[in-house]
Amino acid sequence: MSFLIALVSFLSPLAASANAGSAANAHILQQQQQRHATTTLPQLSRKTQHEKEEQYEILPSSAILERLQKLVAEYPTFATLTTTQEWFGLPRAGGDADCPFDQNYKVHGKGCNNYVLIIQDKEAYPEDPNVQSLSNNDNYYNLDNGHFQQKEGPSGKKEKSGWKYIPDVFLSGSVHGNERVGPSSLLEMSELLVEAAYCESLPRMRYKPQTDASFYANGDEEEAANKRWEQELASAQTCRQSLASDKGIPSPYRQWLARLVSTRRTIVIPTANALGYSRNQREEDGIDPNRDFPFDIPSSKSGDCMQTIAGRSINELFRSHLFPIGLTFHGGMEVIGYEWGAPTYLNKDAPDAIAQNTIASAYSKYANGFHGHSAYDFGTMNDKVYYVRGGMEDWAFAGSWDPKRVVQCTPSTFGGYPAEKTQYNNSTLRAFNMLIETSDPKEPPRAELGKRTNPLMSSNGKENGHIARNMRLALLAMDVVEPYVSIREVEGLVLEDDVVPAMKYDGGSSFDNGKIVWVPGPHQGGDDGGRRRRMKDDDSSTSNLIKVSWTVGGAFNIDTTELVIGPWGTLPLNLADINDGAYPSAEMMDSINNKNSDEFTTMRPSNIDNKQGSVEGRSRWHADGPHPATTTTTSSNSGAFAMNPRFEATIDTSKYPPGTKLAIFAKATVDKDWLQPASNVGPSGLGPVSHIVNARQNPSYHASNAGKVIRGRVDDWWYSDPITIVIGTTNGLEEEEAQVLQEATLNNAPRSVSYNDDGEVLFINAVHINARLGYLPGVMENVSQTSNTGSSVTTTLGMPWLLGSLCIAIIVIFSLVAFVRRRRMRYAHGKQMARIAEDEDDSFSMGSYRDDAEVGLEVRSYHHDDNEDDF
């Protein structure tokens, strides 16, 4: 009897499934409209006095603090300001007369605060609420699942943000206080980043409010939702227009900046040497912070490191993050320097030298030169600058894998510093942290700083300058920290929403949360061979072929790229891992790579040279420029602002039944050439050691620190978020197309249509039916009422259907039992591994490279040879 009761309970929701799709959509709309109807509208950014000034300027410490406070007050969703005194309990350098402006900050005291700006999307990846209040970051080093919160959506299901996989970026200005370009460059860059993310996030409501009064509890609620929508829409239009006309940031660049905010966590310490910068002095109270790090110094000098608050601040930031990449801005010459810069490795190449050289070359190219100043020279610090002991750059690169060069510091300044703070696990210090010598004069004249004119355009004209080019350089570091793939266009329809910051999806499925594009279905019968129906008799350009375009970023060489196409019905409901939010999940990978099924197919780009073994493309950062580059004239994706490279492939939809919902992924492998060792590596015999190379090339790589994780790609591929292509139904196709076009016109939905010479619509190419600014409720309701394989959902519940459901229920029950048993076994295994991890100071593994035999690499951490000289 209990079994029957359970079975009836199980069948009840199935009996109501006929209307589940439209009800689910209605619920999502109602949830977001009710929530946002009562939310305070973000303040629209107004042009301030410094923005009216076309020329950049070097700012004093007081002005930097004032603008940082203004930034976080206006854009709290994306920016957080704290100090290393609050965060890590560090003392302040200086005396009563130093940094009097710090009294304007909530926490101050004798000496100078060391400010830290955190740029991240707090809605997409909620911050740990304790980060800004803990006085000792050791307390949260081993938090389960990193710093992200586990939140409960409206459905009652737990949601995981995947925060621990978001890459960290480190940006430091003014380790030497009299080298002045870095802090203002980082401030200007941060303001531009956050404003772009804010503009792209509007409207914050997911869709335009519905006119159906049944969505709302009362008329006031409906009015509030509509009022908020109109306010945010107006703000979005004003903000985006201002970025484009006043600051030279058109749509593709705005979307790029928004992506950098929402998919990275960037730590900016604008004046690392806060005391030195406020005094305009190189040292911090007579001690050089860039000789204060425990790398390549004699053990007898352990008291001579970590003496400065600047050094300790940077040390604490690295101990509490997992940085693959960073920049430190200096001055006194114009060069980009990378490892090595330590005397022990004089005349030696560092491991990963090819990758470092590639990235430095891109920095130089994108920064460019201007009148009287060439593009930055670049090379190793030993060759281009000079060697130092105790330098930050080498420490950040090698402190975890070359431990013989690291000493535990025992300074006496500021009451001492625990020696264990300079004992590092095997993951913490493996970053490409390059030295940027910004300018020959340490404080160049204002006329050479550049202008707020097209700041993201690489130019050698008068608008370029020391601040302008280093803003771009820092943004490039944020971009290349991790590769990404993005589908940008379907049948001439540019998908405006790339990554939408601050968007709450209320626990919907990956299908619900993704971009959905409707295309006409084939016409059955007639003389058009099953091609799409013409809306006008003079149309001769119909076809079942759907062209999809995509791009690859965050990389240099694009070794292979392709589309993956298949029906949504074979995919899991959510494509991210249910335990930690990692994308793609193992279940998704199993579905699309199942060799025993032909549900998913792959397509290579049609606009590349498919020679066997050749690199298929180049990113926009490549020394030879992007390839393949766009040749279209689409206004938002052409010319100098195009987000190249642009790959294209054509999907034949004729083999899919009408109503099918196709999941489309783009994927790519990148930068395989980084596996090649340099000719004179020191230490000898080492393969890749850095996070940034291993994450791209080593499928067995796993590094973790302070809850953050960097891991290799299991199958070498980087995947885009999916889009959905919905193939129109067959019956009444002409009427359906007319209805879609009418609703798209009424709601101003993004669409691509073809016209004849008289300006009449021949046929629809594609319509973005769930765009924020043009949601089509009628079309979406029809889409939700078809299954993922194209068949209609039954709307009457006869006995045959119930019997069929009974059989399905029994199968599902047995499947669930088996599934639960497997999950319990996995859970037990996971708990065992977690207990093991808790017993260790860190989690790190490299495994082996599949290409070891080919390139002759040895993958290991370096252990000092006793026959070598220490110093």
Side-chain angles (χ1 to χ4, degrees), residues 25 46 89 162 190 225 252 281 410 420 430 438 442 540 599 636 661:
N25 281 338
R46 298 178 178 86
S190 299
Q281 295 177 356
T410 57
E420 61 268 20
R430 292 173 175 265
T438 59
K442 297 189 175 185
S540 60
E599 293 280 7
S636 62
K661 302 169 188 175

Side-chain angles (χ1 to χ4, degrees), residues 105-274:
Y105 185 72
K106 59 184 179 180
V107 177
H108 59 271
K110 177 181 177 181
C112 296
N113 284 338
N114 295 75
Y115 292 100
V116 180
L117 178 67
I118 305 170
I119 299 175
Q120 69 177 94
D121 187 339
K122 301 177 189 176
E123 293 287 358
Y125 302 98
E127 63 181 353
D128 173 36
N130 295 320
V131 165
Q132 271 68 56
S133 62
L134 289 176
S135 61
N136 185 344
N137 65 346
D138 285 340
N139 292 335
Y140 61 84
Y141 269 1
N142 296 312
L143 285 182
D144 290 340
N145 295 324
H147 298 289
F148 64 85
Q149 295 174 320
Q150 181 174 331
K151 57 183 181 178
E152 187 170 302
S155 63
K157 296 180 180 179
K158 295 292 184 178
E159 302 171 359
K160 291 293 187 66
S161 72
W163 186 94
K164 67 178 178 180
Y165 297 108
I166 296 300
D168 294 332
V169 178
F170 175 76
L171 301 173
S172 163
S174 197
V175 168
H176 291 147
N178 64 338
E179 296 167 3
R180 314 286 285 181
V181 170
S184 295
S185 300
L186 293 177
L187 175 63
E188 296 282 356
M189 179 220 69
S190 299
E191 290 175 338
L192 201 61
L193 261 177
V194 171
E195 183 177 356
Y198 167 76
C199 288
E200 189 67 12
S201 73
L202 297 175
R204 293 285 176 86
M205 301 173 74
R206 185 176 174 190
Y207 302 127
K208 182 179 179 180
Q210 297 298 291
T211 56
D212 185 352
S214 64
F215 275 85
Y216 306 97
N218 52 61
D220 292 340
E221 189 177 278
E222 179 181 0
E223 181 181 357
N226 281 282
K227 182 179 180 180
R228 178 175 176 84
W229 172 265
E230 294 300 330
Q231 287 179 324
E232 292 196 350
L233 182 60
S235 295
Q237 293 168 342
T238 302
C239 187
R240 294 177 184 191
Q241 183 178 358
S242 174
L243 277 177
S245 60
D246 298 339
K247 300 181 181 179
I249 308 297
S251 178
Y253 278 163
R254 184 190 70 247
Q255 293 171 356
W256 176 54
L257 295 177
R259 170 182 279 276
L260 297 184
V261 172
S262 279
T263 61
R264 281 98 171 100
R265 174 181 163 95
T266 302
I267 304 299
V268 182
I269 181 165
T271 54
N273 181 359

Side-chain angles (χ1 to χ4, degrees), residues 525-560:
D527 58 358
D528 61 0
R531 295 175 293 184
R532 254 178 286 158
R533 175 183 285 275
R534 299 188 292 267
M535 295 187 71
K536 295 292 180 181
D537 291 338
D538 56 352
D539 170 32
S540 60
S541 305
T542 56
S543 168
N544 286 316
L545 303 180
I546 305 296
K547 181 185 288 185
V548 177
S549 303
W550 70 98
T551 191
V552 180
F556 295 88
N557 278 321
I558 299 152
D559 302 304
T560 313

Side-chain angles (χ1 to χ4, degrees), residues 459-784:
S459 167
N460 58 5
K462 61 182 180 180
E463 66 272 13
N464 202 10
H466 295 299
I467 286 181
R469 66 176 176 175
N470 283 294
M471 291 170 59
R472 292 194 298 275
L473 199 154
L475 291 171
L476 176 52
M478 294 177 65
D479 189 82
V480 301
V481 68
E482 182 177 86
Y484 55 90
V485 188
S486 176
I487 298 175
R488 305 299 296 124
E489 193 170 310
V490 177
E491 276 296 290
L493 170 65
V494 176
L495 301 175
E496 283 296 313
D497 291 340
D498 180 24
V499 174
V500 181
M503 181 57 67
K504 292 182 177 180
Y505 291 104
D506 293 327
S509 68
S510 296
F511 171 82
D512 295 326
N513 294 337
K515 304 175 184 69
I516 304 177
V517 177
W518 182 93
V519 299
H523 168 52
Q524 291 185 347
D527 58 358
D528 61 0
R531 295 175 293 184
R532 254 178 286 158
R533 175 183 285 275
R534 299 188 292 267
M535 295 187 71
K536 295 292 180 181
D537 291 338
D538 56 352
D539 170 32
S540 60
S541 305
T542 56
S543 168
N544 286 316
L545 303 180
I546 305 296
K547 181 185 288 185
V548 177
S549 303
W550 70 98
T551 191
V552 180
F556 295 88
N557 278 321
I558 299 152
D559 302 304
T560 313
T561 187
E562 57 192 29
L563 288 183
V564 183
I565 307 106
W568 267 101
T570 60
L571 289 170
L573 188 63
N574 288 295
L575 303 181
D577 190 280
I578 61 174
N579 293 314
D580 60 12
Y583 175 83
S585 67
E587 289 80 2
M588 172 189 143
M589 301 282 288
D590 290 342
S591 296
I592 67 177
N593 296 321
N594 186 353
K595 296 181 179 180
N596 297 321
S597 172
D598 59 356
E599 293 280 7
F600 276 85
T601 59
T602 59
M603 296 197 67
R604 305 294 292 278
S606 58
N607 61 334
I608 61 170
D609 182 359
N610 278 315
K611 292 179 180 178
Q612 196 69 21
S614 65
V615 173
E616 294 189 345
R618 302 186 302 263
S619 82
R620 60 190 291 230
W621 309 126
H622 196 281
D624 296 329
H627 176 77
T630 181
T631 57
T632 66
T633 57
T634 305
S635 61
S636 62
N637 193 32
S638 63
F641 299 113
M643 291 291 101
N644 285 314
R646 174 192 171 93
F647 298 96
E648 297 176 350
T650 304
I651 302 170
D652 185 355
T653 61
S654 63
K655 67 177 182 178
Y656 299 103
T660 298
K661 302 169 188 175
L662 289 178
I664 315 293
F665 302 84
K667 63 179 184 176
T669 62
V670 300
D671 298 326
K672 189 174 181 179
D673 61 310
W674 286 5
L675 282 174
Q676 299 298 324
S679 58
N680 186 29
V681 173
S684 61
L686 279 183
V689 295
S690 66
H691 293 312
I692 202 165
V693 175
N694 277 292
R696 296 172 199 230
Q697 305 302 337
N698 185 351
S700 301
Y701 193 73
H702 185 278
S704 65
N705 184 60
K708 297 303 289 286
V709 172
I710 298 172
R711 59 179 186 171
R713 315 300 287 190
V714 174
D715 63 349
D716 283 344
W717 294 95
W718 298 83
Y719 288 83
S720 74
D721 288 335
I723 67 164
T724 299
I725 291 181
V726 178
I727 303 173
T729 58
T730 300
N731 297 327
L733 176 60
E734 187 171 27
E735 292 77 13
E736 182 185 27
E737 288 197 33
Q739 291 171 4
V740 170
L741 182 60
Q742 181 181 10
E743 191 174 0
T745 303
L746 178 65
N747 290 279
N748 197 29
R751 58 197 179 277
S752 170
V753 297
S754 294
Y755 301 90
N756 62 14
D757 294 338
D758 297 327
E760 297 177 300
V761 175
L762 292 176
F763 61 88
I764 301 175
N765 297 314
V767 182
H768 188 176
I769 61 177
N770 69 336
R772 276 188 301 168
L773 303 185
Y775 183 81
L776 308 185
V779 179
M780 283 297 296
E781 184 173 0
N782 290 335
V783 167
S784 69

